[in-house]
Amino acid sequence: MSNYMSKVNGNDIKVAIKCLVYNHEPYLRDCLEGFVMQQTDFPFVAIVHDDASTDHSADIIREYAAKYPDIIHPIYETENQYSKKDGSLTKIMNAAIEATGAPYIAICEGDDFWTNPHKLQKQVDFLETHPDIGLCYTDYDTCDAKGTIINKACFANGINKIPVSFAEHLVAQGYIAPMTWLYRKTVYDALQDIQRQPVVDGSFVVALEFFLHSAVYFVNEVTATYRIHEGSASRPLTVAQWIKYRKGVYEIQQQYAKQDSETLGLLPIFKVNEILELLPLALEADLNQYIDEYNAKAEDLHLDTNLCVMVFRFKKDARDARSSYAYRLGKFLLKPFRWIRLFISKNRAIV
């Protein structure tokens, strides 16, 4: 990357935004608008990496780069880097970030978007006055592919838990909304070894590393929206894809449990939880590969697989019950109580 990126109008860049884009045409304008609307007293840039999209994502990026050349700094690939699984995408983005000289890094992929124009300013101000904090994150909303809000203030409303320690985040297999992050590059640079091997959930790994090596802080304010759509990690297209994803998360959890004396004793529980969750799914979808794998793991742990079959049948019975007329009528009648609970939770102070 050119050295010209290290300054904007003679001023040092304070924040570099990492934005990965692949076939995000329907959502990309929302994402880029979230960047250019930021109101700050310091320069910032967005490294927008198009990974050889087959739609018109690159054209949209070119449009914004021409209109906002001081903010949008594009990278256009002719060959998809993510699919190589060799770390090339990480190397390209790290080199681009390094060229900016920015001490702080933010993240927002092309299908998510920021909603608060003061996001970067508030987070930078906080980190500047709290040198012990390596990463700060905020509350967020979720929306569907069309932009319709699904959940508001996911942390404040208890949809996601606010972790306060490495152990708590590990046990919960937590999610702390990467599209809201701002973190110190100096701390992140010390974590580069973790990126040598591809994992199914990189944000989970990076968050665990920040919890291990610095303080992490939650800002109780919504600044972004996470978009849930078909094919995303949170909503895979098939049961097999979901099992593969969840298996990868459990592998991360068990790997990190071995690194901390407080969580090492939980390792057998994590292994049992993996079997209890994924074997029933494999049985339901008749995926012999996973059925054989988890039967073998159950045998190693002296776990009665009949328990897994019971879980499978219970889940099926529960789904059948939820589709019944009586269940749907009861859910409708209980709606007013749900609204009352949400009202109370929204007005409850979070410590």
Side-chain angles (χ1 to χ4, degrees), residues 19 36 54 172 277 295 315 331:
C19 179
V36 301
T54 58
E277 177 184 348
N295 274 328
K315 288 184 175 180
K331 190 174 181 181

Side-chain angles (χ1 to χ4, degrees), residues 57-92:
S57 293
D59 295 334
I60 295 173
I61 296 169
R62 289 188 182 93
E63 174 190 332
Y64 274 80
K67 191 174 181 180
Y68 303 97
D70 289 342
I71 297 176
I72 307 298
H73 292 267
I75 300 174
Y76 305 105
E77 301 288 355
T78 57
E79 181 182 7
N80 187 271
Q81 300 299 309
Y82 175 80
S83 61
K84 294 181 178 179
K85 305 295 184 182
D86 61 359
S88 59
L89 179 56
T90 297
K91 292 175 184 176
I92 290 168

Side-chain angles (χ1 to χ4, degrees), residues 24-45:
H24 287 153
E25 179 184 356
Y27 325 118
L28 188 52
R29 290 184 186 278
D30 287 342
C31 176
L32 299 180
E33 284 293 331
F35 300 159
V36 301
M37 76 173 181
Q38 291 299 303
Q39 300 173 20
T40 66
D41 59 13
F42 52 79
F44 64 92
V45 295

